[in-house]
Amino acid sequence: MEDELRLRTVQLLADYLESCARMPGTAARRPSTPEAAVLRSVAARVRQRYHHFWSHYRGYRGNRLGLVANLAQRVVRGRGIPSWGHVVALVSFAGILLETPPARHAWELKTWEADVGRDCQKLVALLCDWLTVENRTWLEAHGGWDGFCHIFTPTLICPWSTPLVRVLLSCFTATILTYLWTKPL
């Protein structure tokens, strides 16, 4: 029997990290799931917020896996559990590590591609284990990826509930009632 939460997590992480690891100038593929679209959107805001600090890690050539594993343990050290913000920040940071830096030579780019492809798969596995094994109880208690989408997807505001619409409807209703009241039968 396959674990649906783990499968969704692998697909979500692979979608996001592969989009980060693509070659510069190539178009990103469409998100494979609704939660992948939400993750890309939220991660873009997180990346923008921490751009100054994280830009130092773009093109990182060290041990990406060790860096992300260490950061994942630090995320939960204080509280014992992650938060959705921590999850998005960790996944976004992993994506920064996979971004292709500007290459000076073609052979640098080939070496980079080989390393990034391998590290992308390893990071997907690491983050998937971190979420679905170490923090599974928390993830399930917060609705899994449906809960993630619920938290980060803005709710649609019903136009009938806005104050201006209410005032206009009240005026319209009052006008009609006044007309019907004064109209001779």
mmCIF file of all heavy atoms in Angstrom, residues 37-65:
data_model
loop_
_atom_site.group_PDB
_atom_site.id
_atom_site.type_symbol
_atom_site.label_atom_id
_atom_site.label_comp_id
_atom_site.label_asym_id
_atom_site.label_seq_id
_atom_site.Cartn_x
_atom_site.Cartn_y
_atom_site.Cartn_z
ATOM 1 N N ALA A 37 1.618 25.019 -7.215
ATOM 2 C CA ALA A 37 1.426 26.418 -7.610
ATOM 3 C C ALA A 37 1.442 27.329 -6.383
ATOM 4 O O ALA A 37 2.049 28.404 -6.402
ATOM 5 C CB ALA A 37 0.112 26.574 -8.371
ATOM 6 N N VAL A 38 0.799 26.882 -5.312
ATOM 7 C CA VAL A 38 0.782 27.675 -4.079
ATOM 8 C C VAL A 38 2.197 27.776 -3.511
ATOM 9 O O VAL A 38 2.641 28.854 -3.119
ATOM 10 C CB VAL A 38 -0.196 27.070 -3.041
ATOM 11 C CG1 VAL A 38 -0.066 27.765 -1.699
ATOM 12 C CG2 VAL A 38 -1.625 27.144 -3.548
ATOM 13 N N LEU A 39 2.930 26.659 -3.480
ATOM 14 C CA LEU A 39 4.295 26.678 -2.962
ATOM 15 C C LEU A 39 5.180 27.627 -3.769
ATOM 16 O O LEU A 39 5.939 28.409 -3.197
ATOM 17 C CB LEU A 39 4.908 25.280 -2.948
ATOM 18 C CG LEU A 39 6.368 25.206 -2.477
ATOM 19 C CD1 LEU A 39 6.517 25.726 -1.053
ATOM 20 C CD2 LEU A 39 6.890 23.782 -2.590
ATOM 21 N N ARG A 40 5.084 27.572 -5.083
ATOM 22 C CA ARG A 40 5.903 28.473 -5.910
ATOM 23 C C ARG A 40 5.588 29.934 -5.603
ATOM 24 O O ARG A 40 6.485 30.761 -5.520
ATOM 25 C CB ARG A 40 5.685 28.193 -7.392
ATOM 26 C CG ARG A 40 6.338 26.917 -7.862
ATOM 27 C CD ARG A 40 6.214 26.798 -9.355
ATOM 28 N NE ARG A 40 6.606 25.481 -9.842
ATOM 29 C CZ ARG A 40 6.736 25.195 -11.117
ATOM 30 N NH1 ARG A 40 6.515 26.119 -12.041
ATOM 31 N NH2 ARG A 40 7.082 23.982 -11.498
ATOM 32 N N SER A 41 4.326 30.238 -5.431
ATOM 33 C CA SER A 41 3.913 31.611 -5.153
ATOM 34 C C SER A 41 4.423 32.071 -3.787
ATOM 35 O O SER A 41 4.999 33.154 -3.658
ATOM 36 C CB SER A 41 2.386 31.701 -5.203
ATOM 37 O OG SER A 41 1.940 32.942 -4.764
ATOM 38 N N VAL A 42 4.228 31.253 -2.771
ATOM 39 C CA VAL A 42 4.649 31.625 -1.416
ATOM 40 C C VAL A 42 6.172 31.663 -1.340
ATOM 41 O O VAL A 42 6.752 32.570 -0.725
ATOM 42 C CB VAL A 42 4.059 30.643 -0.381
ATOM 43 C CG1 VAL A 42 4.583 30.927 1.008
ATOM 44 C CG2 VAL A 42 2.543 30.708 -0.395
ATOM 45 N N ALA A 43 6.835 30.708 -1.974
ATOM 46 C CA ALA A 43 8.301 30.673 -1.960
ATOM 47 C C ALA A 43 8.886 31.898 -2.645
ATOM 48 O O ALA A 43 9.911 32.426 -2.205
ATOM 49 C CB ALA A 43 8.807 29.398 -2.635
ATOM 50 N N ALA A 44 8.235 32.378 -3.685
ATOM 51 C CA ALA A 44 8.721 33.587 -4.373
ATOM 52 C C ALA A 44 8.696 34.780 -3.420
ATOM 53 O O ALA A 44 9.626 35.594 -3.406
ATOM 54 C CB ALA A 44 7.876 33.873 -5.609
ATOM 55 N N ARG A 45 7.648 34.877 -2.598
ATOM 56 C CA ARG A 45 7.580 35.969 -1.623
ATOM 57 C C ARG A 45 8.646 35.817 -0.541
ATOM 58 O O ARG A 45 9.267 36.805 -0.136
ATOM 59 C CB ARG A 45 6.194 36.039 -0.994
ATOM 60 C CG ARG A 45 5.161 36.615 -1.948
ATOM 61 C CD ARG A 45 3.839 36.747 -1.292
ATOM 62 N NE ARG A 45 3.168 35.459 -1.477
ATOM 63 C CZ ARG A 45 2.120 35.046 -0.810
ATOM 64 N NH1 ARG A 45 1.592 35.799 0.116
ATOM 65 N NH2 ARG A 45 1.579 33.876 -1.041
ATOM 66 N N VAL A 46 8.871 34.583 -0.088
ATOM 67 C CA VAL A 46 9.892 34.338 0.931
ATOM 68 C C VAL A 46 11.275 34.646 0.369
ATOM 69 O O VAL A 46 12.099 35.290 1.033
ATOM 70 C CB VAL A 46 9.822 32.875 1.442
ATOM 71 C CG1 VAL A 46 11.027 32.516 2.286
ATOM 72 C CG2 VAL A 46 8.535 32.652 2.216
ATOM 73 N N ARG A 47 11.522 34.218 -0.846
ATOM 74 C CA ARG A 47 12.821 34.478 -1.479
ATOM 75 C C ARG A 47 13.064 35.972 -1.652
ATOM 76 O O ARG A 47 14.176 36.454 -1.476
ATOM 77 C CB ARG A 47 12.902 33.758 -2.818
ATOM 78 C CG ARG A 47 12.981 32.252 -2.651
ATOM 79 C CD ARG A 47 12.744 31.566 -3.964
ATOM 80 N NE ARG A 47 13.815 31.891 -4.896
ATOM 81 C CZ ARG A 47 14.510 30.993 -5.562
ATOM 82 N NH1 ARG A 47 14.258 29.721 -5.397
ATOM 83 N NH2 ARG A 47 15.443 31.356 -6.389
ATOM 84 N N GLN A 48 12.022 36.689 -1.988
ATOM 85 C CA GLN A 48 12.149 38.130 -2.140
ATOM 86 C C GLN A 48 12.455 38.780 -0.786
ATOM 87 O O GLN A 48 13.289 39.685 -0.697
ATOM 88 C CB GLN A 48 10.870 38.704 -2.731
ATOM 89 C CG GLN A 48 10.954 40.175 -3.050
ATOM 90 C CD GLN A 48 9.679 40.669 -3.713
ATOM 91 O OE1 GLN A 48 8.628 40.036 -3.638
ATOM 92 N NE2 GLN A 48 9.767 41.809 -4.354
ATOM 93 N N ARG A 49 11.810 38.298 0.242
ATOM 94 C CA ARG A 49 12.012 38.868 1.573
ATOM 95 C C ARG A 49 13.437 38.653 2.072
ATOM 96 O O ARG A 49 14.017 39.530 2.696
ATOM 97 C CB ARG A 49 11.019 38.246 2.549
ATOM 98 C CG ARG A 49 11.117 38.804 3.928
ATOM 99 C CD ARG A 49 10.061 38.255 4.814
ATOM 100 N NE ARG A 49 10.167 38.855 6.126
ATOM 101 C CZ ARG A 49 9.429 38.514 7.135
ATOM 102 N NH1 ARG A 49 8.506 37.580 6.989
ATOM 103 N NH2 ARG A 49 9.597 39.084 8.296
ATOM 104 N N TYR A 50 13.995 37.484 1.823
ATOM 105 C CA TYR A 50 15.337 37.147 2.307
ATOM 106 C C TYR A 50 16.395 37.228 1.205
ATOM 107 O O TYR A 50 17.465 36.665 1.340
ATOM 108 C CB TYR A 50 15.334 35.742 2.924
ATOM 109 C CG TYR A 50 14.462 35.656 4.155
ATOM 110 C CD1 TYR A 50 13.259 34.969 4.120
ATOM 111 C CD2 TYR A 50 14.835 36.288 5.330
ATOM 112 C CE1 TYR A 50 12.446 34.901 5.237
ATOM 113 C CE2 TYR A 50 14.033 36.221 6.449
ATOM 114 C CZ TYR A 50 12.841 35.525 6.402
ATOM 115 O OH TYR A 50 12.037 35.470 7.503
ATOM 116 N N HIS A 51 16.081 37.924 0.145
ATOM 117 C CA HIS A 51 16.972 37.990 -1.018
ATOM 118 C C HIS A 51 18.395 38.421 -0.654
ATOM 119 O O HIS A 51 19.358 37.805 -1.098
ATOM 120 C CB HIS A 51 16.400 38.926 -2.080
ATOM 121 C CG HIS A 51 17.331 39.176 -3.209
ATOM 122 N ND1 HIS A 51 17.577 38.208 -4.171
ATOM 123 C CD2 HIS A 51 18.104 40.237 -3.526
ATOM 124 C CE1 HIS A 51 18.465 38.680 -5.029
ATOM 125 N NE2 HIS A 51 18.796 39.907 -4.661
ATOM 126 N N HIS A 52 18.510 39.448 0.137
ATOM 127 C CA HIS A 52 19.840 39.967 0.456
ATOM 128 C C HIS A 52 20.703 38.908 1.149
ATOM 129 O O HIS A 52 21.859 38.700 0.784
ATOM 130 C CB HIS A 52 19.731 41.213 1.330
ATOM 131 C CG HIS A 52 21.066 41.781 1.703
ATOM 132 N ND1 HIS A 52 21.882 42.392 0.780
ATOM 133 C CD2 HIS A 52 21.742 41.789 2.873
ATOM 134 C CE1 HIS A 52 23.007 42.771 1.380
ATOM 135 N NE2 HIS A 52 22.938 42.416 2.650
ATOM 136 N N PHE A 53 20.146 38.242 2.120
ATOM 137 C CA PHE A 53 20.908 37.236 2.864
ATOM 138 C C PHE A 53 21.149 35.982 2.020
ATOM 139 O O PHE A 53 22.251 35.449 1.958
ATOM 140 C CB PHE A 53 20.180 36.877 4.157
ATOM 141 C CG PHE A 53 20.854 35.789 4.931
ATOM 142 C CD1 PHE A 53 22.068 36.012 5.567
ATOM 143 C CD2 PHE A 53 20.280 34.533 5.003
ATOM 144 C CE1 PHE A 53 22.697 35.004 6.274
ATOM 145 C CE2 PHE A 53 20.905 33.518 5.712
ATOM 146 C CZ PHE A 53 22.115 33.757 6.356
ATOM 147 N N TRP A 54 20.094 35.503 1.356
ATOM 148 C CA TRP A 54 20.191 34.241 0.617
ATOM 149 C C TRP A 54 20.979 34.359 -0.674
ATOM 150 O O TRP A 54 21.424 33.356 -1.225
ATOM 151 C CB TRP A 54 18.804 33.687 0.334
ATOM 152 C CG TRP A 54 18.143 33.098 1.545
ATOM 153 C CD1 TRP A 54 18.669 33.001 2.799
ATOM 154 C CD2 TRP A 54 16.845 32.535 1.611
ATOM 155 N NE1 TRP A 54 17.760 32.408 3.635
ATOM 156 C CE2 TRP A 54 16.635 32.115 2.926
ATOM 157 C CE3 TRP A 54 15.838 32.356 0.681
ATOM 158 C CZ2 TRP A 54 15.459 31.503 3.339
ATOM 159 C CZ3 TRP A 54 14.662 31.751 1.098
ATOM 160 C CH2 TRP A 54 14.478 31.327 2.406
ATOM 161 N N SER A 55 21.139 35.559 -1.204
ATOM 162 C CA SER A 55 21.867 35.703 -2.470
ATOM 163 C C SER A 55 23.312 35.212 -2.345
ATOM 164 O O SER A 55 23.919 34.821 -3.337
ATOM 165 C CB SER A 55 21.836 37.152 -2.943
ATOM 166 O OG SER A 55 22.525 37.988 -2.032
ATOM 167 N N HIS A 56 23.834 35.189 -1.151
ATOM 168 C CA HIS A 56 25.199 34.685 -0.929
ATOM 169 C C HIS A 56 25.294 33.176 -1.166
ATOM 170 O O HIS A 56 26.376 32.649 -1.386
ATOM 171 C CB HIS A 56 25.684 35.006 0.483
ATOM 172 C CG HIS A 56 25.666 36.469 0.800
ATOM 173 N ND1 HIS A 56 26.513 37.370 0.194
ATOM 174 C CD2 HIS A 56 24.881 37.187 1.637
ATOM 175 C CE1 HIS A 56 26.263 38.583 0.656
ATOM 176 N NE2 HIS A 56 25.270 38.505 1.524
ATOM 177 N N TYR A 57 24.156 32.490 -1.108
ATOM 178 C CA TYR A 57 24.140 31.041 -1.278
ATOM 179 C C TYR A 57 23.820 30.614 -2.706
ATOM 180 O O TYR A 57 23.851 29.432 -3.019
ATOM 181 C CB TYR A 57 23.133 30.398 -0.316
ATOM 182 C CG TYR A 57 23.611 30.436 1.106
ATOM 183 C CD1 TYR A 57 23.216 31.449 1.964
ATOM 184 C CD2 TYR A 57 24.479 29.467 1.583
ATOM 185 C CE1 TYR A 57 23.665 31.483 3.275
ATOM 186 C CE2 TYR A 57 24.936 29.491 2.889
ATOM 187 C CZ TYR A 57 24.516 30.505 3.726
ATOM 188 O OH TYR A 57 24.971 30.532 5.012
ATOM 189 N N ARG A 58 23.489 31.555 -3.557
ATOM 190 C CA ARG A 58 23.206 31.217 -4.955
ATOM 191 C C ARG A 58 24.503 30.729 -5.597
ATOM 192 O O ARG A 58 25.535 31.371 -5.510
ATOM 193 C CB ARG A 58 22.686 32.427 -5.705
ATOM 194 C CG ARG A 58 22.204 32.059 -7.081
ATOM 195 C CD ARG A 58 21.378 33.186 -7.665
ATOM 196 N NE ARG A 58 20.891 32.759 -8.950
ATOM 197 C CZ ARG A 58 21.384 33.209 -10.101
ATOM 198 N NH1 ARG A 58 22.330 34.111 -10.109
ATOM 199 N NH2 ARG A 58 20.904 32.764 -11.236
ATOM 200 N N GLY A 59 24.446 29.571 -6.200
ATOM 201 C CA GLY A 59 25.633 28.980 -6.801
ATOM 202 C C GLY A 59 26.509 28.265 -5.784
ATOM 203 O O GLY A 59 27.680 28.022 -6.043
ATOM 204 N N TYR A 60 25.948 27.913 -4.653
ATOM 205 C CA TYR A 60 26.688 27.244 -3.578
ATOM 206 C C TYR A 60 27.281 25.935 -4.094
ATOM 207 O O TYR A 60 26.606 25.136 -4.706
ATOM 208 C CB TYR A 60 25.729 26.970 -2.414
ATOM 209 C CG TYR A 60 26.374 26.397 -1.194
ATOM 210 C CD1 TYR A 60 27.136 27.194 -0.361
ATOM 211 C CD2 TYR A 60 26.200 25.067 -0.858
ATOM 212 C CE1 TYR A 60 27.723 26.678 0.783
ATOM 213 C CE2 TYR A 60 26.775 24.539 0.279
ATOM 214 C CZ TYR A 60 27.535 25.346 1.094
ATOM 215 O OH TYR A 60 28.111 24.833 2.227
ATOM 216 N N ARG A 61 28.544 25.731 -3.860
ATOM 217 C CA ARG A 61 29.234 24.541 -4.363
ATOM 218 C C ARG A 61 29.622 23.569 -3.255
ATOM 219 O O ARG A 61 30.239 22.553 -3.509
ATOM 220 C CB ARG A 61 30.478 24.949 -5.137
ATOM 221 C CG ARG A 61 30.132 25.738 -6.383
ATOM 222 C CD ARG A 61 31.318 25.853 -7.299
ATOM 223 N NE ARG A 61 30.993 26.640 -8.454
ATOM 224 C CZ ARG A 61 30.578 26.119 -9.608
ATOM 225 N NH1 ARG A 61 30.430 24.835 -9.742
ATOM 226 N NH2 ARG A 61 30.306 26.917 -10.625
ATOM 227 N N GLY A 62 29.252 23.875 -2.036
ATOM 228 C CA GLY A 62 29.582 22.997 -0.921
ATOM 229 C C GLY A 62 28.581 21.856 -0.795
ATOM 230 O O GLY A 62 27.867 21.510 -1.739
ATOM 231 N N ASN A 63 28.504 21.303 0.380
ATOM 232 C CA ASN A 63 27.613 20.181 0.673
ATOM 233 C C ASN A 63 26.195 20.714 0.895
ATOM 234 O O ASN A 63 25.827 21.073 2.009
ATOM 235 C CB ASN A 63 28.133 19.437 1.900
ATOM 236 C CG ASN A 63 27.290 18.230 2.250
ATOM 237 O OD1 ASN A 63 26.263 17.958 1.626
ATOM 238 N ND2 ASN A 63 27.728 17.505 3.261
ATOM 239 N N ARG A 64 25.407 20.763 -0.159
ATOM 240 C CA ARG A 64 24.037 21.277 -0.081
ATOM 241 C C ARG A 64 23.183 20.435 0.853
ATOM 242 O O ARG A 64 22.398 20.956 1.638
ATOM 243 C CB ARG A 64 23.393 21.305 -1.467
ATOM 244 C CG ARG A 64 24.033 22.243 -2.431
ATOM 245 C CD ARG A 64 23.315 22.182 -3.791
ATOM 246 N NE ARG A 64 24.079 22.863 -4.783
ATOM 247 C CZ ARG A 64 24.910 22.261 -5.628
ATOM 248 N NH1 ARG A 64 25.065 20.964 -5.607
ATOM 249 N NH2 ARG A 64 25.576 22.968 -6.500
ATOM 250 N N LEU A 65 23.335 19.132 0.741
ATOM 251 C CA LEU A 65 22.538 18.206 1.542
ATOM 252 C C LEU A 65 22.811 18.412 3.031
ATOM 253 O O LEU A 65 21.878 18.488 3.834
ATOM 254 C CB LEU A 65 22.863 16.770 1.118
ATOM 255 C CG LEU A 65 21.870 15.705 1.509
ATOM 256 C CD1 LEU A 65 20.536 15.955 0.844
ATOM 257 C CD2 LEU A 65 22.391 14.340 1.117
#
